[in-house]
Amino acid sequence: MAGRNVDHHADNEVVSIMIEPVNTRLGLDGKIALVTSGTHGLGLAIASKLCDNGAHVILTTTDDDVDIERAKIVLAGKPGSVAVTQLNIHDEHSVRLLFDRVKEERGRLDIFVHHAVSPDLTPLLNIVEPLAKVFVDGGRVVIAGYTVTPVHGVIRTLALEMAWYRVAVNAVVTTVVDNGPMNIDPDLVDRLAIKSPSGRVTLPGDIANAVALLCTDEAAWVQGQVITVDGGLELLERWGETR
């Protein structure tokens, strides 16, 4: 409850309201989320955001992943929890086994985020049936990647298939991400930052924020959309304008 301080100055009453901090959690506490390739890049940023909001996040990785320990350190101590498991998204049998294990151990899956490290999204079309079954009471599927990834056709197909199961399917994409000291082409990032109407390049956290918003109850009616998160950079290119 807000407190009320009253100061008297001359004949005027000055009222200052003390407002307690607002809970900014997104209502994802207790949600079960699976993030593919979640130990690095956009996947790790998304996992971190979901953990910040109380979700239990399962990260998939490969046996030659060098980022596992760093990811565990990044995600330690957050309101949510994390588990790591190996998965080859191209192996339909192993995907089915993982979904069965998630349902057996956790009861359900609420959120499936595919960190698109490869432009080949065909594996997602091959797991519609097992993916639908692991959701018990609706849920969210989000593909996160770059604008060069051919997401539109896959999103349309998945959204039409999964809507019957009350699962909303969307994608969050961006043109380029500022990974700080990990940038492959720092000069390009600097040039795009100058060009951007928002004054900087997209950060991994910007993508994570958009993904998390799509996972909330309030976003249930957003279906089959590809959302570009780039601070307006694409708008300039689309209209042939320069800053």
Side-chain angles (χ1 to χ4, degrees):
M1 181 180 296
R4 188 173 186 268
N5 283 349
V6 180
D7 296 327
H8 293 280
H9 179 68
D11 295 327
N12 298 320
E13 183 182 82
V14 180
V15 179
S16 62
I17 304 296
M18 297 183 299
I19 302 178
E20 295 180 356
V22 177
N23 185 354
T24 58
R25 298 278 275 274
L26 296 173
L28 302 180
D29 294 86
K31 298 289 187 182
I32 310 300
L34 192 151
V35 181
T36 67
S37 300
T39 62
H40 62 277
L42 298 181
L44 180 57
I46 293 165
S48 181
K49 182 68 176 183
L50 296 177
C51 278
D52 282 338
N53 284 275
H56 173 74
V57 181
I58 303 165
L59 309 180
T60 74
T61 183
T62 57
D63 55 7
D64 59 348
D65 191 343
V66 298
D67 297 310
I68 297 176
E69 295 307 317
R70 175 178 171 272
K72 290 180 179 178
I73 293 173
V74 170
L75 299 174
K78 293 181 178 293
S81 57
V82 62
V84 180
T85 187
Q86 290 191 18
L87 176 70
N88 178 1
I89 193 69
H90 294 271
D91 185 345
E92 184 179 342
H93 178 66
S94 66
V95 173
R96 288 177 177 270
L97 289 178
L98 176 58
F99 287 164
D100 288 344
R101 193 166 81 244
V102 169
K103 195 165 185 179
E104 180 181 349
E105 295 177 357
R106 298 289 174 176
R108 71 193 189 283
L109 185 68
D110 301 302
I111 299 165
F112 177 82
V113 180
H114 178 61
H115 174 204
V117 295
S118 165
D120 181 13
L121 301 178
T122 307
L124 296 180
L125 300 178
N126 297 330
I127 61 170
V128 171
E129 179 259 340
L131 181 58
K133 287 184 176 180
V134 77
F135 290 103
V136 173
D137 191 27
R140 302 288 186 273
V141 172
V142 184
I143 298 175
Y146 293 86
T147 51
V148 294
T149 305
V151 299
H152 289 80
V154 173
I155 286 297
R156 181 180 185 277
T157 300
L158 286 177
L160 291 174
E161 293 283 347
M162 302 295 285
W164 293 101
Y165 301 93
R166 294 189 298 114
V167 175
V169 181
N170 298 283
V172 176
V173 297
T174 190
T175 49
V176 66
V177 169
D178 184 355
N179 290 304
M182 301 293 290
N183 286 331
I184 297 176
D185 190 344
D187 290 338
L188 173 62
V189 172
D190 290 341
R191 291 196 302 272
L192 290 175
I194 294 172
K195 181 181 178 182
S196 172
S198 299
R200 66 171 176 84
V201 174
T202 304
L203 301 174
D206 297 322
I207 301 298
N209 289 340
V211 170
L213 288 174
L214 287 172
C215 294
T216 62
D217 291 343
E218 290 80 0
W221 216 236
V222 182
Q223 179 67 286
Q225 301 302 306
V226 178
I227 300 173
T228 301
V229 177
D230 67 355
L233 182 61
E234 187 185 68
L235 297 177
L236 297 179
E237 298 176 355
R238 185 183 305 169
W239 294 335
E241 298 179 7
T242 58
R243 187 166 183 251

